[in-house]
Amino acid sequence: ESLWQPILSLPADKEHWVETFLDEWFTYGLRSSDLADDFRQRWIDMIEFCFKSELWDADRSEMWHTTLDLWTRLMGLWITTEGPSLWNETKTSLVQSMLGYFERWCNALLRYGHCAQRYAAFLSQPAAVPIRIQSLVWLESGAGAGGDYWWKERDMADTLARLLTIVWTSQQSELKQHPRAFAIFMSFLARLAAQLNPVALELESRI
């Protein structure tokens, strides 16, 4: 706490310090299986701290986009962009155990397209299997609150189309057991296909 709390208390204009700390913390922590329990507890402590901190309130921040970006890093959503994913099959139990925190974060921040796009990218990672189907419901809520701007977020269409393809390919049976999630899946796919997204069109042709 004496290490991470001062860093997470830095103002938004010092975001590079926070970004570096969080990215390195996840990179090291996810690679160290011997530290799994400590890693999870420290992660929870940091999330709880930031939810209580006015500095992390995007609605009150003058640098709101920076604050949103830091939130995505706090949830480990940037550890998907380079090289082999650290969110691999060995981390499914960790993700499952953090379900409540992901839900809380999604309810607060998925209305922002930037957060939703990063979260959808994370859901394509192997470790996210336990929360993928439920996350479709959270994404729909975010899309409804975000409106057209949500759908116009950079890379949103391609990221969602890839996610839907992964869900259909690897979790089709589970998806069909959840009527609401399945309806959301089909609604998202129809919208992306109407935009002539090539990945969505290919998937639609298979269903």
Side-chain angles (χ1 to χ4, degrees), residues 155-172:
D155 295 328
M156 179 68 85
D158 287 342
T159 303
L160 283 176
R162 284 195 297 270
L163 172 60
L164 296 182
T165 298
I166 288 171
V167 170
W168 187 256
T169 302
S170 63
Q171 293 177 269
Q172 182 182 149

Side-chain angles (χ1 to χ4, degrees), residues 12 14-15 22 28 37 51 54 64 77-78 96 127 131 140 142-143 150 161 166 173-174 178-179 188 192-193 196-197:
K14 300 295 191 297
E15 76 273 13
L22 289 172
Y28 180 76
D37 291 340
F51 267 120
E54 292 185 3
W64 60 272
L77 307 186
W78 277 91
Q96 177 67 57
I131 66 173
E140 184 202 36
W150 192 92
I166 288 171
S173 296
E174 181 182 354
H178 296 79
F188 276 3
L192 293 168
L196 302 182
N197 180 274

Side-chain angles (χ1 to χ4, degrees), residues 6-27:
I7 296 174
L8 298 185
S9 298
L10 291 171
D13 62 356
K14 300 295 191 297
E15 76 273 13
H16 296 304
W17 292 91
V18 186
E19 289 173 3
T20 299
F21 166 73
L22 289 172
D23 291 352
E24 291 298 321
W25 186 79
F26 273 102
T27 299

Side-chain angles (χ1 to χ4, degrees), residues 24-87:
E24 291 298 321
W25 186 79
F26 273 102
T27 299
Y28 180 76
L30 291 175
R31 284 177 175 160
S32 304
S33 57
D34 293 342
L35 302 176
D37 291 340
D38 287 342
F39 176 86
R40 179 181 180 275
Q41 188 55 56
R42 294 295 83 72
W43 191 13
I44 290 172
D45 292 343
M46 290 193 293
I47 292 171
E48 291 286 3
F49 173 82
C50 290
F51 267 120
K52 296 173 183 176
S53 172
E54 292 185 3
L55 291 171
W56 285 73
D57 187 343
D59 292 332
R60 301 171 65 177
S61 173
E62 294 182 0
M63 300 177 65
W64 60 272
H65 196 275
T66 296
T67 302
L68 294 178
D69 189 66
L70 292 177
W71 268 114
T72 64
R73 293 177 186 276
L74 178 66
M75 299 305 292
L77 307 186
W78 277 91
I79 311 300
T80 63
T81 55
E82 296 181 5
S85 176
L86 295 175
W87 289 115

